[in-house]
Amino acid sequence: MKTTVVVGTQWGDEGKGKLVDIMAESADWVIRFHGGANAGHTLWVQGQKTVLHLIPSGVLHAHTRCLIGPGVALDPFALIEEIRGLKSKGFLKEERQLLIADQCTLILPIHKALDQAREKSLLENKIGTTGKGIGPAYEDRASRRAITLADLYQPRLEEKLNRVLEEKNLLLEFLYKESLHNPKDLVRDLVGLAAELAPYRTSESSRLLIDAKNKGQKILFEGAQGSLLDVVHGNYPFVTSSSTLAGSVSPSLGLGPKFVDHVVGVFKAYCTRVGSGPMPTELKNEVGAKIQKDGQEFGSTTGRVRRCGWLDLVALKYAIDLNGVDELAMMKLDVLSGHEKVAFATKYRIGAVVKDSFPTALEDLENSVPELEWHESWSESLIDCRAWEDLPGPAKNYIRAIESHVQCPISRVSVGPDRAQILKVPRI
Ligand code: IMP
């Protein structure tokens, strides 16, 4: 497939980064199209760990060009740190490997301050954001006062920053009792960064991608967060502030709706969630604790412990529909070794009603009790499995049962963090 989008089909942290890194081996381009440094894509290559927040996961392949597209909320301070970190490890040797769209919305320190102040004031009602300023920056975009990457190179930067800071400083001072941000300091810091970012700027990202496709080059779009965190179709308000779905490639990058040929949905063999909001299959017991420990389920951006539970096929089916998924990739199956039995949810009971569709009202999701289907488990470690034939029978049956429920093929199964720990699933 020439143009493929890889999206998360749960609440984020599905392992998209690992899959994109592997697929990038044969890709010419890898593109981030939404979200910002709230994402944390962890890659393990020959025992070395790299966590990326903004730069596409293709960057570890020297031949792959990476683009941070116009729809991304870009924290220039975090980006510079990431660029320097990659260079110090011997990656990103050539500037042409990374492009950043001029239209990106900048996340400024005041957006992060506002995000964190709001969360603090919400007490037990907090969303549990990553505190990276995502919501406030996208608000500025929608209210037409955002600073873009291109603005860093324009004479009116200070005037525009004054406008942004004036209102936010009022909120910080009088509503949240937090300290103020000084526009002059910010201009100084941003001008310092602008020179370092200048070689990566592009004002013609749509044209570059259209030309690449016309030349037969292979393009991968890397989703961030997960479908259930989508600002419209996720379980609002416990969502992020961008559209996380495959369809958002088109408006976020300025490409026509037929540009993408293929959609890969990534899911973990169980569910995790960071932050607040309902998660019907959550296990607040020793089984959940075992999954959390075996899967090392800590947020790669915030270090928070992730909530864990059984795989939720009601949610997965919903995400398959939302994205038009053609094939699935299952990650971290190795983590489920050593349980007495394994399960997935196939329906929700809400009061007396049993449904297999994902509720759109928050209260319905909060009141949903999962109906579980139990399966035989396996005790062996899967980390050395490299082919379908290496998997124990119950693990194969678990995979086939999921495919049959969601009516979508699972093409790959990952059994460990390293690039090599992945196997292909034969089509039935
Ligand atoms: P925000 O995107 O920082 O505003 O956070 C909104 C919600 O999305 C919170 O529940 C976060 O924990 C969650 N979230 C944001 N980014 C990620 C991610 O990359 N992985 C998992 N959860 C995320």
Side-chain angles (χ1 to χ4, degrees):
M1 288 295 163
K2 295 231 156 30
T3 57
T4 300
V5 53
V6 175
V7 281
T9 55
Q10 294 166 317
W11 283 279
D13 309 316
E14 297 91 352
K16 300 174 289 294
K18 170 176 171 171
L19 189 71
V20 170
D21 170 57
I22 290 169
M23 294 173 75
E25 174 88 64
S26 60
D28 297 289
W29 290 84
V30 181
I31 324 287
R32 271 285 304 269
F33 57 96
H34 72 94
N38 49 350
H41 295 162
T42 307
L43 311 175
W44 285 91
V45 181
Q46 286 159 1
Q48 192 187 29
K49 182 178 177 183
T50 305
V51 182
L52 299 168
H53 298 286
L54 277 162
I55 297 180
S57 302
V59 72
L60 304 194
H61 298 278
H63 68 276
T64 307
R65 300 191 77 186
C66 294
L67 168 72
I68 301 179
V72 169
L74 187 81
D75 178 338
F77 299 92
L79 178 64
I80 286 287
E81 287 303 306
E82 213 165 297
I83 290 174
R84 289 178 187 162
L86 283 166
K87 284 187 166 172
S88 73
K89 286 184 179 175
F91 299 111
L92 203 54
K93 284 193 182 125
E94 284 185 53
E95 276 159 0
R96 70 181 292 279
Q97 207 196 339
L98 176 66
L99 288 168
I100 311 165
D102 255 354
Q103 306 96 312
C104 283
T105 298
L106 293 194
I107 297 188
L108 306 172
I110 202 160
H111 293 120
K112 289 161 83 169
L114 200 54
D115 190 2
Q116 290 161 20
R118 277 188 189 148
E119 283 286 280
K120 203 157 96 185
S121 75
L122 283 170
L123 302 173
E124 71 277 7
N125 295 319
K126 45 168 74 65
I127 306 288
T129 72
T130 57
K132 300 291 179 190
I134 304 294
Y138 277 126
E139 280 169 27
D140 274 0
R141 183 81 198 193
S143 61
R144 293 151 295 184
R145 76 187 92 186
I147 307 294
T148 64
L149 180 65
D151 286 329
L152 292 188
Y153 305 90
Q154 305 304 323
R156 288 173 55 213
L157 175 64
E158 185 161 356
E159 185 192 317
K160 289 183 182 177
L161 280 172
N162 277 333
R163 202 158 5 116
V164 173
L165 262 60
E166 191 181 27
E167 189 199 38
K168 291 186 176 40
N169 270 332
L170 283 175
L171 288 172
L172 284 176
E173 184 177 14
F174 296 108
L175 192 57
Y176 300 117
K177 317 281 182 251
E178 299 285 344
S179 38
L180 303 186
H181 288 231
N182 182 333
K184 292 246 177 295
D185 293 345
L186 187 56
V187 172
R188 186 200 57 221
D189 294 346
L190 286 173
V191 168
L193 289 181
E196 209 170 329
L197 292 179
Y200 304 107
R201 278 178 72 193
T202 178
S203 58
E204 46 189 29
S205 57
S206 313
R207 176 42 55 195
L208 282 169
L209 294 181
I210 292 164
D211 287 347
K213 187 170 180 183
N214 288 342
K215 279 190 234 153
Q217 294 184 350
K218 207 166 156 189
I219 304 173
L220 263 184
F221 299 99
E222 176 178 24
Q225 292 83 50
S227 304
L228 304 174
L229 292 173
D230 180 81
V231 66
V232 175
H233 301 279
N235 65 277
Y236 193 85
F238 296 104
V239 292
T240 189
S241 299
S242 66
S243 173
T244 61
L245 305 178
S248 105
V249 162
S250 170
S252 299
L253 285 157
L255 298 167
K258 289 181 278 185
F259 197 86
V260 171
D261 300 317
H262 196 70
V263 180
V264 179
V266 186
F267 72 107
K268 266 195 291 218
Y270 48 92
C271 279
T272 62
R273 181 164 198 173
V274 273
S276 322
M279 175 180 165
T281 59
E282 183 171 7
L283 292 162
K284 293 181 182 167
N285 57 15
E286 66 286 359
V287 179
K290 176 171 163 54
I291 295 176
Q292 195 278 325
K293 182 167 160 281
D294 293 349
Q296 284 296 296
E297 293 295 350
F298 297 96
S300 38
T301 300
T302 57
R304 291 179 290 181
V305 169
R306 295 180 185 141
R307 300 151 62 193
C308 296
W310 293 124
L311 179 60
D312 185 339
L313 297 190
V314 182
L316 183 59
K317 264 168 126 172
Y318 177 59
I320 289 170
D321 287 350
L322 292 176
N323 292 288
V325 171
D326 295 300
E327 61 176 287
L328 290 164
M330 181 200 254
M331 312 307 277
K332 294 184 106 166
L333 181 62
D334 53 299
V335 173
L336 288 190
S337 288
H339 287 272
E340 240 170 71
K341 284 185 286 180
V342 288
F344 48 67
T346 56
K347 294 189 175 76
Y348 293 157
R349 179 179 293 280
I350 310 171
V353 182
V354 178
K355 287 179 113 181
D356 63 2
S357 57
F358 195 77
T360 43
L362 176 66
E363 290 73 10
D364 285 343
L365 193 63
E366 282 169 343
N367 294 326
S368 290
V369 179
E371 303 236 312
L372 297 176
E373 187 177 294
W374 290 93
H375 288 262
E376 193 190 334
S377 66
W378 56 93
S379 54
E380 313 76 323
S381 163
L382 305 186
I383 58 172
D384 293 322
C385 296
R386 294 290 178 275
W388 175 249
E389 294 71 35
D390 300 338
L391 289 175
K396 288 185 195 159
N397 293 342
Y398 184 65
I399 294 166
R400 292 298 187 210
I402 295 164
E403 283 183 319
S404 146
H405 269 284
V406 299
Q407 289 295 297
C408 186
I410 298 174
S411 54
R412 291 181 180 86
V413 173
S414 170
V415 290
D418 204 83
R419 269 182 191 163
Q421 292 172 298
I422 196 147
L423 52 96
K424 290 209 167 114
V425 179
R427 289 273 163 107
I428 310 173

